[in-house]
């Protein structure tokens, strides 16, 4: 059997057009210098796993899977101790939550998500990226029923915490 | 807050937040090389380090076999050690490739964690014991080589010899095991989190595996002790 040679140029093009996925995952799972290292490791692992991409699923779905697995179980993950967004990154005004600009609000959302357990973090991230329950189930390996039950709980928690934060700030 | 408010907030905010992020295609191409990956070389350090010890053992054992040619008691101790060392070296190479295989991140998270747990509990655990034994073989063969008195070897304090050898084994195995425990605990936590409410029997499986692990450690200790006692008896 002849082993197919992966098309490097196509791969680079696809990763380049989906870099947003990698930025978001890095921001969720790493901080400081680790973020750059994680970005590098994700790209390397994507390339290493590329021969297993059969093309029958969306490139993005496959990318979510490899990138999230790398963030949770890769080299960096063994050493990383993520402490959430830094105070510098989280500079917010005294305005109520609803009046904060979009960037500040998403930073607060990141902060709340970073407090979740890694698996819950993965599930809510995929939900926010508008993946279907089936896709989330396939990526994590749990049932769609379990995904929906967990999502209700996580969303509820996030809403509650963002509201608490709102009243505090 | 509406149901999709979180999604809306996520999309709008992220579009603004990553506006300044720049990773061009050349940079992506550069990252495809393993050489640029920080810390990657460290991960297989253990396997390579002990592989070198086993190679050194093979050389030392061959030299000792020649040096103790006229001492059948020692020859019969050295031959099993040589077989064990070659076996450990081959097994180490297999573990090295298995380690690369389990890091296939294109599988589902649950499957990936189960594979990694299997690796750390079975082949890697067995390899840890064998690697610790190979360190003991190295020390004892160095002694044999240095203290070779015209083909005979004398142990002055046998109880001390057994005690120190056992302690050295426990220390080498213990430090390696402790280093891998943290990662193992994290994997177990992930798995139990994933299986929460999905597999009712997962806890039972965990308990059984734990029991087998202790049994395995006890068997290894027993085997090492009997090996040392065997060496001492043969040296008498």
């Amino acid at each position: 059997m002849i082993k197919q040679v992966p098309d490097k140029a196509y791969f680079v093009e696809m990763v380049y057009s989906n870099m947003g996925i990698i930025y978001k995952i890095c921001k969720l799972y790493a901080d400081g210098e680790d973020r750059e290292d994680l970005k590098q490791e994700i790209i390397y692992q994507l390339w290493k796993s590329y021969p297993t991409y059969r093309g029958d699923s969306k490139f993005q779905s496959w990318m979510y899977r490899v990138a999230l697995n790398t963030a949770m179980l890769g080299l960096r993950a063994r050493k990383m101790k993520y402490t959430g967004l830094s105070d510098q990154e989280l500079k917010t005004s005294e305005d109520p939550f609803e009046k904060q600009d979009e960037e500040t609000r998403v930073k607060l959302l990141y902060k709340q998500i970073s407090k979740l357990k890694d698996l819950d973090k993965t599930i809510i991230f995929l939900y926010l990226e508008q993946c279907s329950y089936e896709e989330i189930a396939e990526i994590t390996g749990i049932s769609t029923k379990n995904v929906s039950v967990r999502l209700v709980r996580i969303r509820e928690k996030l809403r509650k915490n963002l509201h608490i934060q709102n009243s505090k700030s | 807050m509406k149901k999709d408010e979180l999604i809306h907030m996520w999309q709008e905010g992220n579009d603004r937040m990553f506006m300044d992020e720049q990773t061009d295609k050349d940079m992506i191409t550069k990252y495809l090389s393993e050489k640029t990956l920080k810390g990657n070389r460290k991960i297989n350090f253990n396997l390579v380090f002990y592989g070198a010890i086993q190679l050194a053992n093979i050389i030392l054992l061959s030299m000792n076999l020649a040096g103790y040619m006229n001492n059948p008691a020692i020859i019969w101790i050295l031959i099993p050690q040589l077989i064990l060392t070659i076996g450990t070296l081959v097994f180490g190479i297999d573990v090295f490739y298995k380690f690369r295989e389990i890091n296939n991140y294109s599988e589902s998270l649950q499957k990936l964690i189960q594979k990694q747990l299997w690796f750390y509990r079975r082949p890697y655990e067995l390899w840890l014991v064998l690697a610790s034994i190979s360190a003991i073989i190295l020390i004892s063969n160095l002694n044999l080589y240095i203290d070779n008195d015209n083909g005979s070897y004398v142990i002055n304090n046998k109880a001390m010899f057994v005690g120190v050898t056992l302690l050295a084994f426990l220390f080498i195995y213990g430090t390696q095991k402790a280093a891998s425990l943290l990662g193992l605990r994290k994997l177990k936590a992930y798995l139990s989190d994933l299986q929460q409410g999905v597999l009712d029997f997962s806890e039972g499986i965990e308990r059984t595996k734990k029991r087998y692990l202790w049994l395995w450690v006890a068997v290894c200790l027993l085997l090492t002790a009997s090996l040392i006692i065997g060496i001492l008896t043969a040296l008498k």
Side-chain angles (χ1 to χ4, degrees):
Chain A
M1 204 172 122
I2 301 163
K3 202 179 173 187
Q4 251 188 328
V5 180
D7 184 349
K8 203 177 199 175
Y10 175 75
F11 172 82
V12 171
E13 186 61 49
M14 289 302 280
V15 171
Y16 179 70
S17 51
N18 289 291
M19 271 310 286
I21 293 176
I22 299 176
Y23 293 145
K24 284 177 254 182
I25 291 176
C26 289
K27 203 167 183 75
L28 271 183
Y29 287 89
D31 50 13
E33 264 183 44
D34 279 332
R35 207 173 279 166
E36 185 59 29
D37 291 344
L38 181 60
K39 181 174 85 178
Q40 206 171 323
E41 197 190 344
I42 288 174
I43 294 173
Y44 169 72
Q45 289 299 345
L46 282 167
W47 177 238
K48 204 178 131 194
S49 306
Y50 189 49
T52 64
Y53 171 62
R54 293 187 300 270
D56 51 0
S57 60
K58 277 195 295 181
F59 186 84
Q60 283 96 330
S61 297
W62 173 80
M63 199 167 158
Y64 281 127
R65 183 197 296 239
V66 177
L68 284 166
N69 283 342
T70 308
M72 283 178 77
L73 302 169
L75 294 175
R76 293 282 118 196
R78 289 174 200 150
K79 288 187 274 173
M80 262 174 355
K81 186 157 174 57
Y82 184 50
T83 49
L85 298 186
S86 65
D87 290 341
Q88 206 179 2
E89 280 179 294
L90 258 174
K91 267 182 192 162
T92 57
S93 69
E94 293 299 309
D95 292 337
F97 181 75
E98 302 297 333
K99 286 189 178 176
Q100 302 268 14
D101 64 52
E102 283 155 339
E103 198 176 333
T104 312
R105 281 165 60 177
V106 84
K107 278 180 183 172
L108 291 167
L109 182 55
Y110 267 103
K111 192 186 182 184
Q112 291 306 325
I113 296 174
S114 71
K115 288 178 185 169
L116 298 171
K117 283 198 281 186
D118 277 357
L119 181 64
D120 289 348
K121 218 188 271 186
T122 300
I123 292 171
I124 193 68
F125 167 74
L126 291 167
Y127 167 78
L128 293 171
E129 290 287 296
Q130 300 193 71
C131 290
S132 66
Y133 285 12
E134 286 75 21
E135 272 179 297
I136 301 176
E138 205 190 316
I139 291 167
T140 54
I142 60 176
S143 67
T144 44
K145 195 185 161 197
N146 203 356
V147 170
S148 75
V149 171
R150 279 168 190 256
L151 266 174
V152 170
R153 203 189 60 220
I154 302 166
R155 283 206 310 257
E156 193 54 45
K157 195 173 179 179
L158 283 178
R159 287 201 194 96
K160 193 180 151 202
N161 288 352
L162 284 167
H163 176 71
I164 289 168
Q165 194 152 357
N166 180 20
S167 59
K168 272 183 183 172
S169 59
Chain B
M1 194 179 277
K2 283 183 292 183
K3 188 189 172 187
D4 291 323
E5 178 80 4
L6 290 172
I7 294 177
H8 173 77
M9 195 195 300
W10 180 258
Q11 282 177 332
E12 299 289 316
N14 274 316
D15 287 346
R16 278 167 176 264
M17 194 155 59
F18 297 117
M19 238 164 10
D20 301 330
E21 287 273 2
Q22 278 181 347
T23 305
D24 58 31
K25 289 179 191 172
D26 288 342
M27 219 181 268
I28 294 172
T29 311
K30 199 183 99 189
Y31 290 161
L32 304 185
S33 163
E34 194 173 6
K35 284 174 196 159
T36 61
L37 211 60
K38 270 193 208 169
N40 191 48
R41 285 173 192 171
K42 285 179 196 163
I43 204 74
N44 295 320
F45 176 78
N46 257 4
L47 293 169
V48 175
F49 177 72
Y50 280 99
I53 286 187
Q54 277 131 31
L55 281 175
N57 275 350
I58 292 171
I59 296 167
L60 255 178
L61 279 161
S62 308
M63 284 159 72
N64 280 335
L65 274 171
Y68 290 91
M69 191 79 87
N70 299 321
N71 191 334
I74 290 190
I75 292 291
W76 283 112
I77 295 165
L78 295 179
I79 289 172
Q81 283 186 22
L82 186 63
I83 295 168
L84 184 72
T85 304
I86 295 169
T88 307
L89 184 67
V90 174
F91 183 61
I93 295 167
D94 184 51
V95 169
F96 180 84
Y97 282 105
K98 276 200 177 81
F99 179 76
R100 290 178 82 93
E101 274 171 35
I102 58 149
N103 287 318
N104 173 10
Y105 293 117
S106 57
E107 302 204 57
S108 80
L109 184 62
Q110 180 153 221
K111 210 169 169 185
L112 189 62
I113 293 171
Q114 278 168 336
K115 263 184 155 181
Q116 293 202 350
L117 274 175
W118 171 83
F119 172 81
Y120 284 111
R121 282 169 173 164
R122 297 288 155 85
Y124 190 70
E125 182 65 38
L126 176 61
W127 179 84
L128 269 186
V129 175
L130 291 172
S132 308
I133 293 174
S134 64
I136 301 297
I137 291 177
L138 178 74
I139 299 165
S140 63
N141 273 280
L142 269 173
N143 283 334
L144 268 177
Y145 181 74
I146 295 164
D147 296 337
N148 185 350
D149 185 16
N150 288 324
S152 67
Y153 180 76
V154 182
I155 298 170
N156 295 322
N157 190 337
K158 291 178 179 71
M160 181 72 99
F161 176 80
V162 175
V164 168
T165 311
L166 263 177
L167 270 178
F169 170 79
L170 286 174
F171 177 75
I172 297 164
Y173 173 77
T175 45
Q176 300 288 333
K177 182 77 186 163
S180 69
L181 266 182
L182 194 70
L184 209 61
R185 207 182 303 159
K186 195 174 177 181
L187 282 175
K188 276 161 81 177
Y190 279 158
L191 189 67
S192 88
D193 198 13
L194 274 164
Q195 293 178 334
Q196 225 169 48
V198 183
L199 293 173
D200 293 335
F201 55 90
S202 65
E203 279 185 21
I205 295 169
E206 290 293 306
R207 270 199 302 274
T208 314
K209 281 179 178 171
K210 207 175 230 174
R211 235 185 352 252
Y212 277 120
L213 177 71
W214 281 112
L215 192 70
W216 173 237
V217 171
V219 168
C220 286
L221 283 175
L222 205 70
L223 283 175
T224 316
S226 46
L227 177 77
I228 295 163
I229 292 166
I231 293 171
L232 286 174
T233 318
L235 284 173
K236 268 182 188 172

